């Protein structure tokens, strides 16, 4: 059964992820699966293995203590994960979501998310994980890896949830952008929201024609504005997201082609990193 996969951790983005999951669930009429992953850690490696520099008798005792510490930390992580999931589920139900289930997994974060994405219509993650949440100007390494590897649409949540009242669509007339355009024009997720189609490129007839054709994909009654502005995409689009702070930015995701990733991937990463609004990346 299709659902929304909301991935939470101990970062300050967990509340926002839950609120975007609730908002998306109501618009798409889909249940929510809340996922938390306990990433395995090696307590010995985490502390630096100094056992080779001490005597054999002491070494055996030290290793036993480190193994015990690791087991205790694992239990603590599991309990913390259960509490996070319980709090997330309560928050969602309190917001009116009735069809919510929780899933607690162990292992690699990226691998587990990809395993769970088969029936997901949408994956929601915080912009940064618990270990990098204060590293402003960066995005979490797991976020970028999931977005690059996933075949699903990924919504990267901002730190604070604000219900979107408009959509900014970054358009460059590429095949990826045209696929995103088709999804945007037909998705109930953004029904009735005004659309601003932004192209950052030279002001020539071909680009104006591409924008006109893109706008024509939407219902004639829809509030759609096409804008062509010269400049670097990351600068032009960032400016628009500042002007419309209650918007959501939609754009094509990374391609699976290494060459496309080299050319387009850096722009996509820059967009996720620099803007303060949520970003939906469409495959």
């Amino acid at each position: 059964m299709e659902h929304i996969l909301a991935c939470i951790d101990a970062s300050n983005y967990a509340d926002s992820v839950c609120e975007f999951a609730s908002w998306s669930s109501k618009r798409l009429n889909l249940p929510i699966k809340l996922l938390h992953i306990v990433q395995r850690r090696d307590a010995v490696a985490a502390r630096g293995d100094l056992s080779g520099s001490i005597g054999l008798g002491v070494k055996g005792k030290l290793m036993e203590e480190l193994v015990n510490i690791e087991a205790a930390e694992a239990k603590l992580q599991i309990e913390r994960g259960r509490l996070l999931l319980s709090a997330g589920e309560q928050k969602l139900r309190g917001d009116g979501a009735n069809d919510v289930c929780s899933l607690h997994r162990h292992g690699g974060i990226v691998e587990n998310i990809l395993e769970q994405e088969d029936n997901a219509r949408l994956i929601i993650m915080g912009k940064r994980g618990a270990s990098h949440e204060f590293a402003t100007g960066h995005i979490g390494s797991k976020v970028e890896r999931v977005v690059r590897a996933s075949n699903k649409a990924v919504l990267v949540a901002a730190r604070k949830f604000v219900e979107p009242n408009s959509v900014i669509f970054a358009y460059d007339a590429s095949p990826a952008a045209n696929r995103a355009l088709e999804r945007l024009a037909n998705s109930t997720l953004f029904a009735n929201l005004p659309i601003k189609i932004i192209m950052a490129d030279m002001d020539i007839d071909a680009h104006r024609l591409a924008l006109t054709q893109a706008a024509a994909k939407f219902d004639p009654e829809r509030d759609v504005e096409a804008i062509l502005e010269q400049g670097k995409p990351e600068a032009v689009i960032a400016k628009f997201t500042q002007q419309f702070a209650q918007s959501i930015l939609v754009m094509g995701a990374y391609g699976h082609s290494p060459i496309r990733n080299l050319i387009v991937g850096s722009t996509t990463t820059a967009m996720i990193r620099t803007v303060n609004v949520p970003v939906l990346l469409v495959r």
Side-chain angles (χ1 to χ4, degrees), residues 175-223:
N178 283 322
R179 286 194 296 274
L181 174 65
E182 290 290 339
R183 297 281 297 274
L184 175 60
N186 296 296
S187 175
T188 55
L189 184 62
F190 304 115
N192 303 321
L193 292 183
I195 308 285
K196 298 183 185 305
I197 307 174
I198 312 292
M199 177 180 279
D201 215 323
M202 292 185 295
D203 189 353
I204 59 175
D205 289 344
H207 292 153
R208 292 200 169 278
L209 177 61
L211 274 175
T212 301
Q213 292 173 336
K217 294 287 184 181
F218 294 88
D219 187 292
E221 301 297 320
R222 192 82 178 265
D223 181 357

Side-chain angles (χ1 to χ4, degrees), residues 17-36:
V17 168
C18 288
E19 287 168 306
F20 273 109
S22 177
W23 176 77
S24 305
S25 171
K26 291 169 185 171
R27 285 192 156 251
L28 295 172
N29 194 26
L30 288 175
I32 300 168
K33 182 184 283 186
L34 204 55
L35 174 66
H36 177 265

Side-chain angles (χ1 to χ4, degrees), residues 9-253:
D9 62 9
S11 73
N12 286 330
Y13 288 82
D15 281 347
S16 176
V17 168
C18 288
E19 287 168 306
F20 273 109
S22 177
W23 176 77
S24 305
S25 171
K26 291 169 185 171
R27 285 192 156 251
L28 295 172
N29 194 26
L30 288 175
I32 300 168
K33 182 184 283 186
L34 204 55
L35 174 66
H36 177 265
I37 301 161
V38 175
Q39 196 170 15
R40 290 194 182 92
R41 294 184 59 196
D42 183 341
V44 177
R47 287 165 173 75
D49 187 0
L50 305 177
S51 55
S53 61
I54 57 179
L56 287 176
V58 178
K59 179 179 177 180
K61 186 177 179 182
L62 176 61
M63 292 304 292
E64 183 182 349
E65 288 180 358
L66 287 173
V67 169
N68 290 337
I69 291 172
E70 185 177 7
E73 282 196 352
K75 287 181 181 177
L76 183 62
Q77 292 292 329
I78 291 169
E79 187 57 29
R80 181 182 296 171
R82 285 177 179 156
L83 290 172
L84 274 172
L85 285 173
S86 176
E89 194 167 333
Q90 282 184 20
K91 182 178 180 62
L92 287 166
R93 293 190 188 282
D95 198 32
N98 293 317
D99 201 346
V100 184
C101 69
S102 297
L103 183 62
H104 200 194
R105 299 297 296 266
H106 299 245
I109 292 176
V110 178
E111 293 77 8
N112 268 295
I113 291 174
L114 295 180
E115 279 180 14
Q116 296 297 321
E117 74 167 13
D118 279 353
N119 293 319
R121 173 88 67 88
L122 176 66
I123 298 172
I124 304 177
M125 303 178 68
K127 187 173 180 177
R128 301 181 188 93
S131 57
H132 296 89
E133 62 178 314
F134 298 111
T136 55
H138 297 273
I139 60 173
S141 58
K142 305 296 189 303
V143 174
E144 185 169 350
R145 286 180 60 199
V146 169
V147 171
R148 286 183 183 278
S150 175
N151 289 315
K152 303 294 182 176
V154 179
L155 196 163
V156 182
R159 186 188 290 262
K160 183 179 178 182
F161 172 80
V162 178
E163 182 171 344
N165 64 5
S166 66
V167 177
I168 295 175
F169 177 50
Y171 184 67
D172 62 2
S174 66
N178 283 322
R179 286 194 296 274
L181 174 65
E182 290 290 339
R183 297 281 297 274
L184 175 60
N186 296 296
S187 175
T188 55
L189 184 62
F190 304 115
N192 303 321
L193 292 183
I195 308 285
K196 298 183 185 305
I197 307 174
I198 312 292
M199 177 180 279
D201 215 323
M202 292 185 295
D203 189 353
I204 59 175
D205 289 344
H207 292 153
R208 292 200 169 278
L209 177 61
L211 274 175
T212 301
Q213 292 173 336
K217 294 287 184 181
F218 294 88
D219 187 292
E221 301 297 320
R222 192 82 178 265
D223 181 357
V224 180
E225 183 181 6
I227 301 155
L228 176 61
E229 187 161 321
Q230 297 188 58
K232 291 184 177 180
E234 52 268 42
V236 171
I237 294 166
K239 184 185 75 174
F240 272 90
T241 59
Q242 289 171 357
Q243 291 176 0
F244 302 95
Q246 203 172 333
S247 61
I248 181 169
L249 174 63
V250 179
M251 57 192 301

